[in-house]
Structure formats: C-alpha cells, structure tokens
C-alpha cells in the first residue's frame, strides 16, 4: 500500500536516531472495546517509559478524532480511513525511533490487518480485553448510557460488532489485571523484544 516518495529521502537513517534515543522505534497498537482500559494503560505506560528516559508519543483515537480525523464518522469506510491515517502517522514516528502508543477500538480484524500491513515489523497488537457488560458498568465517558438510550449510533459492541483478535502479540485482561499490572506486562513485552529496557 505504501507509495514511492517523489523525492528520495536525504534524512538521517533510522538507526542513527535510534542510537541517539537509546531505543528502537515501535508501535504498540492497543485495541478493545470502549472502556476496556486502552487509554488508561497507554497513559500509564507513557509516564513510566518517560521516567525511564524513553521518547514516547501517544496517539489516542478520541483525541485524533478532534483533529487529524475530525472529518470522519463511524461508517465502515470512515473507520478504515481513521485506522489508515493513524497507522501512517505512527509509521513516520516509528521510523524516527519513537515508541508510539496507539489506543483505538479497531473493532475488526481487517482493520488491524490494515494497520499491520502499513507498519510491518514495527506493529505489535495488544488486545485490551474486557467484555461489554464490564465496560458498560465502567462507562467512563457515559457512552454506554447514551447507546442504551439510542443516542449513539453504530456503537461498537451493541450496533456494530467487535471481532476479538485471534493472535494478538499480548492480551491484557483488564477484568483481572490492574492498570499497574497491565503496564508491567507491556514493559516485560518491550524488554523481551529488546525495544526498551
């Protein structure tokens, strides 16, 4: 899907930037239902990694929809474009040695495959797992109450399906794991991959 740049790149090579940052660029793609804990875990990870001297950028689905993706709705076509744009942005950042934390619902397998296809080996799929009833009970943004009242259309898990990842790189079951435990699991994952110690 990637196109050839019109002008050949004359920027510093990726390796030089990774040496400077003392880390490897990568994209941790946190997917799961609204309220499963994606943004909360990404926020905690950002703080811990920052304290360890790592350069991290968080791309949150809600925040992206107020700027870069503000012209997109929740149709199948718009969801695909939302993921495509986010993955392309994450690719630029990872190519510059940044650890990127993407927290987006990414409800279907073909959307996650799209992100994986754009990001290649930099992509790590992390399934933040919690069932609909648990997320509805948490309802941090009040979206489940609005969906129950018919005020939110195409709500994932209710009107629009969520396909569980079949072979994610990591599963964080937030019905059982605390935010602290989930963060530790991701840090261990990064250590094992040699991305950040």
């Amino acid at each position: 899907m990637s196109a050839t740049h019109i002008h050949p790149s004359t920027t510093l090579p990726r390796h030089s930037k990774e040496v400077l940052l003392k880390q490897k660029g990568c994209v941790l793609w946190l997917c799961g239902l609204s309220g499963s804990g994606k943004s909360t875990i990404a926020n905690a990870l950002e703080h811990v990694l920052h304290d360890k001297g790592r350069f991290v950028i968080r791309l949150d689905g809600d925040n992206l929809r107020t700027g870069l993706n503000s012209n997109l709705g929740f149709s199948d076509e718009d969801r695909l474009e939302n993921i495509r744009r986010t993955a392309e942005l994450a690719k630029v950042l990872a190519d510059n040695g940044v650890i990127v934390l993407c927290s987006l619902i990414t409800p279907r397998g073909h959307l996650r495959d799209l992100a994986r296809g754009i990001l290649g080996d930099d992509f790590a799929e992390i399934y933040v797992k919690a069932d609909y009833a648990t997320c509805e009970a948490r309802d941090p943004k009040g979206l489940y109450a609005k969906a129950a009242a018919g005020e939110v259309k195409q709500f994932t898990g209710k009107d629009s399906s969520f396909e569980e990842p079949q072979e994610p790189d990591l599963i964080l079951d937030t019905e059982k794991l605390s935010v602290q435990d989930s963060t530790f699991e991701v840090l261990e994952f990064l250590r094992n991959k040699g991305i950040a110690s």
Side-chain angles (χ1 to χ4, degrees):
M1 179 170 271
S2 61
T4 303
H5 293 295
I6 296 171
H7 300 289
S9 175
T10 56
T11 59
L12 285 167
R14 173 174 178 160
H15 176 71
S16 297
K17 297 180 181 184
E18 291 180 330
V19 169
L20 176 69
L21 294 171
K22 299 181 177 69
Q23 65 187 41
K24 292 182 181 177
C26 70
V27 179
L28 303 182
W29 196 282
L30 289 80
C31 63
L33 290 173
S34 177
S36 61
K38 301 179 301 299
S39 297
T40 302
I41 293 167
N43 184 55
L45 272 169
E46 181 182 31
H47 281 83
V48 171
L49 288 168
H50 178 82
D51 290 344
K52 290 177 175 289
R54 304 303 178 195
F55 184 45
V56 182
I57 291 181
R58 223 165 32 97
L59 300 178
D60 185 87
D62 289 339
N63 293 338
L64 290 169
R65 282 186 174 276
T66 66
L68 178 67
N69 297 334
S70 61
N71 64 322
L72 300 175
F74 294 91
S75 67
D76 288 345
E77 295 79 9
D78 282 359
R79 283 183 188 273
L80 188 143
E81 179 61 12
N82 181 48
I83 298 304
R84 189 195 69 78
R85 288 183 195 175
T86 304
E88 291 287 1
L89 175 56
K91 180 176 175 58
V92 171
L93 294 170
D95 282 345
N96 283 277
V98 179
I99 296 172
V100 187
L101 308 176
C102 294
S103 47
L104 296 93
I105 293 173
T106 328
R108 297 193 182 91
H110 76 275
L111 297 174
R112 296 187 288 269
D113 289 344
L114 171 65
R116 184 181 290 105
I118 291 169
L119 292 160
D121 291 339
D122 289 331
F123 180 85
E125 182 179 355
I126 299 177
Y127 176 29
V128 183
K129 183 178 180 180
D131 64 24
Y132 190 91
T134 300
C135 295
E136 185 175 29
R138 292 173 182 167
D139 203 7
K141 304 168 195 167
L143 293 175
Y144 284 85
K146 289 181 179 178
E151 296 172 22
V152 178
K153 303 300 181 191
Q154 296 174 310
F155 190 69
T156 303
K158 182 178 181 287
D159 310 310
S160 182
S161 65
F162 181 87
E163 298 172 0
E164 287 201 10
Q166 296 304 301
E167 295 181 7
D169 296 285
L170 182 64
I171 298 175
L172 303 175
D173 186 343
T174 61
E175 293 181 41
K176 300 173 182 175
L177 295 174
S178 66
V179 173
Q180 184 178 10
D181 290 339
S182 297
T183 302
F184 178 78
E185 291 281 333
V186 180
L187 291 173
E188 281 295 298
F189 174 79
L190 289 173
R191 268 193 284 271
N192 292 335
K193 292 287 187 181
I195 293 168
S197 57

